[in-house]
């Protein structure tokens, strides 16, 4: 699955999202995108990264994750889901 997005400043996904088994990568093409993952579950410690153009984050899709846009951002997310 490949998803290309233009996200406006202030857009966010505040609730933890947990996908099916597989892996994903988000590549930031422009702007500033903040991404959080919770490897120990929603009630565990979250790791937050502020990504700018040219940066990427890779995670297991089953790990809780959420995001917000700091500055209008272009992103590409690629997911490889297990069957």
């Amino acid at each position: 699955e490949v998803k290309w997005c233009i996200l406006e400043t202030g857009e966010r996904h505040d609730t933890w999202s947990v996908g099916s088994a597989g892996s994903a990568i988000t590549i930031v093409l422009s702007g500033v995108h903040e991404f959080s993952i919770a490897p120990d579950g929603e009630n565990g410690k979250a790791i937050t990264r502020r990504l700018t153009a040219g940066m990427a984050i890779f995670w297991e899709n089953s790990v809780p994750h959420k995001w917000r846009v700091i500055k209008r951002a272009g992103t590409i997310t690629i997911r490889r889901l297990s069957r």
Side-chain angles (χ1 to χ4, degrees):
E1 173 185 278
V2 177
K3 181 169 59 170
W4 176 75
C5 294
I6 298 295
L7 303 164
E8 298 299 329
T9 301
E11 281 190 62
R12 58 184 20 174
H13 187 260
D14 285 332
T15 57
W16 291 110
S17 178
V18 180
S20 57
S23 53
I25 185 170
T26 293
I27 304 164
V28 177
L29 304 174
S30 63
V32 182
H33 189 79
E34 189 175 85
F35 200 90
S36 299
I37 60 172
D40 297 324
E42 295 175 23
N43 297 319
K45 182 179 178 182
I47 299 168
T48 300
R49 297 285 183 258
R50 190 169 280 203
L51 308 170
T52 57
M55 298 176 78
I57 188 165
F58 180 83
W59 76 98
E60 291 299 318
N61 199 47
S62 59
V63 170
H65 52 281
K66 60 185 177 180
W67 55 266
R68 71 183 179 126
V69 179
I70 306 301
K71 182 179 176 186
R72 187 175 194 258
T75 64
I76 293 175
T77 299
I78 303 166
R79 291 183 210 189
R80 181 174 182 264
L81 304 176
S82 299
R83 292 181 187 227

